[in-house]
Amino acid sequence: MKKFRKVLDGLTTSSPGGTIGSPSCGSAAGTPTSAPTPKDIDIQETLVAENFQLCKTVRHGFPYQPTALAFDPVQKILAIGSRTGGVRILGRPGVDCYCQHESGAAVLQLQFLINEGALVSACADDTLHLWNLRQRRPAVLHSLKFNRERITFCHLPFQSKWLYVGTERGNTHIVNIESFVLSGYVIMWNKAIELSTKTHPGPVVHLSDSPKDEGKLLIGFESGTIVQWDLRGKKADFRIYYDEAIHSVSWHHEGKQFMCSHSDGSLTLWNLRNTTKPFQVTFPHGKIQKDGRKESCKPILKVEYKTSRNSEPFVVFSGGLSYDKAGRRPTLTIMHGKAITVLEMDYPIVEFMVLCDTPYNNEVQEPYAVVVLLEKDLIVVDLTQSNFPVFENPYPMDVHESPVTCTAYFADCPPDIIPILYSIGAKHKKTGYSQKEWPISGGTWTLGSHTYPEIIITGHADGSIKFWDASAITLQMLYKLKTSKVFEKPKPGEGRAADLVEEDPFAVQMVSWCPQSRIFCVVGISAHIILYRFSKYDANTQIVSLDVRLQCESDDVITPSENENNPCFPEPGSHSPQPHHQYPASPSSGTPEGNKDSIPCLKVKDRVVRVPPGYQAELVIQLLWVDGEPPQQITTLDINSAYGLLAFGNCSGLVVVDYLQKTILLCMSTLDLYGAADPYQRLTRSPRRNRQSTSELCMRGLSNFYSDSKKRIRTSYQSLTELSDNQQSIDMERSKSPTSVHYPTSLHNDPRVLPEPVASLRASHCSPVYYLLDNVKGPGRKLSLPTDLKTDLDHVNGHCTSPTSQPSAGKPRVPMGPEGPRLTRRGPGRPPFRKAQSAACMEISLPVSHTEGYASRRAMLQQLHGVTMYSHDEHHTPSPYCWSERESRENSFSRSRSSSVSSIDRDTKEAITTLQFGESYGRKTDALPTPCLWVGTSLGVVVVIPMSVPTEQEERMEEPVTIGPSGVVLLLKGSVLRFGFLDCMGVLIQSPHEVWRDLNAPEDPDRPRRRKLINFSPSSSQDTCGEGHLAVVCSERQAKVLLMPSQSCLFVHNITESSFVLRADVVSVCNSVCLACFCANGHIMTLSLPSLRPLVNVNYLPLTDMRIARTFCFTNGGQALYLSSPTEIQRITYSQEMCDNLQEMLGELFTPIETPEAQNRGFLKGFFGGNAHTFDREELFGEAAAGKASRSLAQHIPGQGGVEGMKVAASGVVGDLARARVALDERGQRLGELEDRTALMMTSAETFSKHAHELMLKCKDKKWYQF
């Protein structure tokens, strides 16, 4: 038991980082220290380092940038390779495995060892890998690296252990699958072609053995040459020279014909009896023009020729369309007899494969489906029905249907929420799918014993919200919500719409969900908030709209004439606009320049609308334009159903809304929250006489924000436009020092106006907050912060270089008019916003130092965006500081954050970065806990706001809620990221909530619907400790634990000195609680609570792109997730208990299945039909006959698959049983194969005996001369 004794109270110090008006505490990095407290607190901490282990659990979504496809027709599992070296193996729902090549090279081709539990992958680094699929986590058994030749094509015959490998030089090598070594048998290109041929045939594009004779190998070269090679005789049977390049070849099952696809859009059918010319040439999509010539067509990239017993053969191919129609979608063509069906696809076709009943290539194929791998989707077409419907995909392949912009993860949800969401969402499912079962049904998966309800929520760029059932490491979509239905569609040409419309105005920025009360809040990119309630009944409702004017600049000294009509912010409680007030659509013309004022970005539907069951919009809150400036994006939000309150903030201030009474309770700037307790010295600002409209200088985008800690950047639309219109001017502007300012002469000549500081702090965020130079108050400085991917950053070999490091000498200065920089090329209808990019779209590779990582948030963003970033100084230095020209050009990641300039003296704006409702103590003198709102800012300040909320339902709907800020409580290093509350026994205190009630349900007079509140008061479990609770506060650099109400700092821990925290959460793990942090240098760490003792610190992954940082989120149970690619969600665990149970939760890829028997060919057909089954590859390719291959040709690399498999099996409790079961399965499989062969031999013997007996009876009575 750890006992923390505090015997002194009231000890105050003046050390940096201390609290304001309370005992202070400071410590060295990684050293928790204690501070005085008036209590004795006995808390037994049960978490130790052995409770934690970091590992990946499962990956959901569509494989990003797919390149290859393979299917095992016996095991019925599918494999997909990707450009980044990943391999996804899919079976029945629940069987989903992700593997990654260590090299990261693109996967060129995949080949299953059919019904053997193994997979061969060929990668772009000319390496072959053999994967063992007989374990839940596949691993590489062998690798073979080719040194002198590039791999272009591979072929593995069924039930063969010899792999044919074609190369770019035209040679064909043979690899033994068991030992993974090269055979000495090589088919050289100059032996395959005729000696008289003067040109190289090109790379090998096709290899296949003849269905009629396995000793014949068909080799297709890119130039159009086809050779059938006799493996026994080591010579060519025939050679075909065709004028058009070959893309693919497909055999008829009888082995007498094969079909080729060519680059001119033609299909050629060849008969082995006459190989001088094709038996048939067709242009499926080529029409005859008026002049009699065929129109030119695109190449047919692949063709498959499959036969059927009861119908005409199927010819399936991709491509081949004519060039005459531009913009046509990619197609898959199915030719069945004379019928031609063209299936248009939404995305380009990467690969397709026809699924057949039999694995034998010399039997009637009987195709039943086509798997089509697209760039962003996976489709399976049913060939057994004439209209060729598609199967309903059971995998979550549509995560990226609209780009993902934010994520949220909720573990241990109420058990009834998933079934009800599924029942509502099932009513809106698409129809028209095939009625047959999903054909990819391999593997086994069972619901593990360690499962609990989990839900993942994804927000998207089109304003849609998706709820996913993530229980038992699976993912299934439950319900989809479209937030855009709340608003009117913007009509082009309207006064406001022409200026405000952007491509993704409804994009989701963040979400807040209370699973117990089922209240859901969505924050949008257009500075709007939508509050939803859940109902099982449809209803006619009118959405209430609240408009908030929050664009305060309290640092400016506004003259009375400027302020008498437009106050920056009202007194608390005085701002109460009408609950439903719509502003006119046209911009306000109150100013001479016609600046937009007091209008929202979107127009809410002002009529009664019919809403279906599910989440129904009740309230919309929108921030308004102020003096021609668009509203700042919302940085944080919290909602509490027990209080009926909603709070949100941005870099302008804080707003608290009573969503029950539909009124605004508080709307004030951050400075006013402090009152006289402002911990910083603020510089007064000179008034601006001529306020320049910055509506043209503002840019809002989603490409630069974090999910719950989203980075928000306001960029200059003028600079963005000039990026494509005038690259020279952009280069000139980027070469300037970030602090260079050019003031127009009109301002300098006016004695009443003083030059303003360089920039104002405009962009910050909820956790973490980033301060950028984005709204320069001088027309001589333009910032280039493009968010569009095509024009984003300067890339040098995949890395970003800071524009500030470019030399500025010799660059001409763009002449500026007296009005400052003007947008010259923008048309009257061009919007000031660009398309909102998703959290999945930022593809940025960052050079990461493994020793220090990102030394500061400023350095990372300067590296990313080429701008100087101002952040809170580590020691809160209030003195002015100026950048030198040398420092402004410096681009170093090793720079300490303490050297960054203090933004306090540059600008007094600070953002609200995190909010938390809860039962707490607003003042030191409080005896009982009351409803409070904890507020954290970008400067590390924590403010507690006590509230008075009526408890009775009637009073709550009539009496007002009173709010009174109490001043500063705490000061930390860096932006405040997260709050958490513990009782004095160390148990996590949940926020109060309301029990869900359906407001649209029919009235029941016996059971009236009344609000039922669940209140987790800190004093409810304080039998031994009395009153009070512990507050956990985490910032980008520091974590502190306070004792309330005395506000004494018990423990402090400096989390990181060389980096900064991106995401932090107080989570439950192993029946205890800890603080989990994810840092910018890729480290994941946990701290015990309340002592803040480091438990684990793992360098999980380097922050190579901003997508991970934007979407990373923790949840209870030791789990977390992030968007690993624009289309995939990666789930991880940091709990040792879950790692131990992971093997039980994962699905089995391989299941012992008997190999289907080959069709009985009959005695006479087998006797006279050739020697297809007498070919012994071992005798031909083995070392005894072919010798050894050159050692310099390829290098064998042993893998860790076998060792890792044994380690995985041995790590569990049933390791011995697992090994025994595997051995028994393998032995049983071998016995089964032996039994099958014995039965086949017996059948053949019986057939031979029968025919011999019949022949004997027939010839019994014949004389010798009758023969």
Side-chain angles (χ1 to χ4, degrees), residues 73-150:
V74 179
Q75 290 289 324
K76 295 190 181 300
I77 56 177
L78 186 78
I80 301 175
S82 70
R83 190 175 301 173
T84 56
V87 178
R88 283 282 290 279
I89 304 174
L90 304 169
R92 67 176 67 249
V95 179
D96 187 343
C97 181
Y98 174 77
C99 316
Q100 176 67 43
H101 291 90
E102 291 184 1
S103 64
V107 179
L108 298 180
Q109 195 175 352
L110 295 171
Q111 285 273 321
F112 274 105
L113 275 67
I114 296 176
N115 204 27
E116 296 289 338
L119 175 71
V120 175
S121 61
C123 297
D125 59 351
D126 307 309
T127 306
L128 297 173
H129 304 274
L130 179 64
W131 293 85
N132 179 18
L133 306 184
R134 294 184 178 233
Q135 54 194 50
R136 294 179 187 251
R137 284 189 173 274
V140 175
L141 289 171
H142 302 282
S143 296
L144 187 65
K145 169 73 174 175
F146 280 74
N147 297 323
R148 295 185 298 184
E149 297 192 53
R150 306 294 305 272

Side-chain angles (χ1 to χ4, degrees), residues 980-1233:
F981 305 118
L982 310 175
D983 62 19
C984 289
M985 299 299 295
V987 179
L988 183 65
I989 302 174
Q990 303 292 338
S991 297
H993 64 265
E994 175 188 2
V995 177
W996 174 71
R997 54 197 177 105
D998 198 335
L999 298 181
N1000 296 334
E1003 292 286 348
D1004 187 355
D1006 298 333
R1007 299 179 62 184
R1009 292 198 305 267
R1010 298 184 60 85
R1011 296 184 73 216
K1012 182 180 178 181
L1013 306 181
I1014 305 297
N1015 190 4
F1016 300 95
S1017 175
S1019 60
S1020 59
S1021 59
Q1022 313 288 331
D1023 297 332
T1024 58
C1025 297
E1027 303 293 335
H1029 72 89
L1030 303 177
V1032 181
V1033 186
C1034 183
S1035 73
E1036 291 176 329
R1037 293 294 186 88
Q1038 208 173 43
K1040 291 186 178 183
V1041 176
L1042 306 180
L1043 177 64
M1044 303 298 290
S1046 66
Q1047 300 180 5
S1048 302
C1049 182
L1050 303 183
F1051 301 96
V1052 61
H1053 178 77
N1054 291 334
I1055 300 174
T1056 176
E1057 294 293 338
S1058 61
S1059 183
F1060 57 95
V1061 179
L1062 293 170
R1063 185 64 189 255
D1065 274 296
V1066 179
V1067 293
S1068 298
V1069 180
C1070 301
N1071 299 319
S1072 188
V1073 64
C1074 68
L1075 177 65
C1077 303
F1078 174 58
C1079 296
N1081 57 8
H1083 284 248
I1084 293 178
M1085 58 186 70
T1086 57
L1087 306 174
S1088 67
L1089 290 177
S1091 66
L1092 298 178
R1093 175 173 44 89
L1095 295 172
V1096 67
N1097 186 352
V1098 179
N1099 187 6
Y1100 172 63
L1101 77 170
L1103 189 60
T1104 54
D1105 58 66
M1106 302 307 299
R1107 183 195 314 110
I1108 298 173
R1110 286 192 301 271
T1111 57
F1112 196 99
C1113 53
F1114 292 100
T1115 189
N1116 294 328
Q1119 296 195 77
L1121 67 80
Y1122 59 91
L1123 214 63
S1124 59
S1125 74
T1127 62
E1128 294 170 289
I1129 295 174
Q1130 177 68 58
R1131 292 166 66 178
I1132 65 174
T1133 181
Y1134 48 95
S1135 167
Q1136 179 66 54
E1137 180 183 3
M1138 187 167 185
C1139 288
D1140 294 339
N1141 299 322
L1142 188 59
Q1143 292 297 316
E1144 177 188 351
M1145 301 170 69
L1146 293 174
E1148 289 273 6
L1149 294 174
F1150 178 79
T1151 53
I1153 301 175
E1154 291 187 6
T1155 303
E1157 294 184 4
Q1159 294 179 0
N1160 189 1
R1161 306 179 67 194
F1163 174 75
L1164 294 178
K1165 189 174 182 181
F1167 189 77
F1168 296 105
N1171 53 353
H1173 291 282
T1174 61
F1175 178 62
D1176 188 357
R1177 295 186 178 90
E1178 178 68 29
E1179 182 181 347
L1180 195 59
F1181 302 144
E1183 185 177 336
K1188 293 183 178 181
S1190 173
R1191 291 186 178 181
S1192 62
L1193 184 62
Q1195 177 186 0
H1196 176 258
I1197 305 171
Q1200 299 294 325
V1203 178
E1204 290 182 2
M1206 295 303 294
K1207 286 181 179 179
V1208 168
S1211 63
V1213 182
V1214 293
D1216 295 333
L1217 292 177
R1219 287 194 296 273
R1221 197 183 93 180
V1222 171
L1224 286 175
D1225 289 343
E1226 293 178 353
R1227 184 168 179 266
Q1229 184 181 359
R1230 294 192 187 98
L1231 289 175
E1233 293 175 355

Side-chain angles (χ1 to χ4, degrees), residues 673-695:
L673 296 176
Y674 302 147
D678 188 356
Y680 300 114
Q681 301 175 7
R682 316 270 174 169
L683 295 180
T684 58
R685 305 290 299 277
S686 60
R688 286 180 292 176
R689 182 181 180 184
N690 299 321
R691 182 185 297 270
Q692 180 184 358
S693 173
T694 58
S695 61

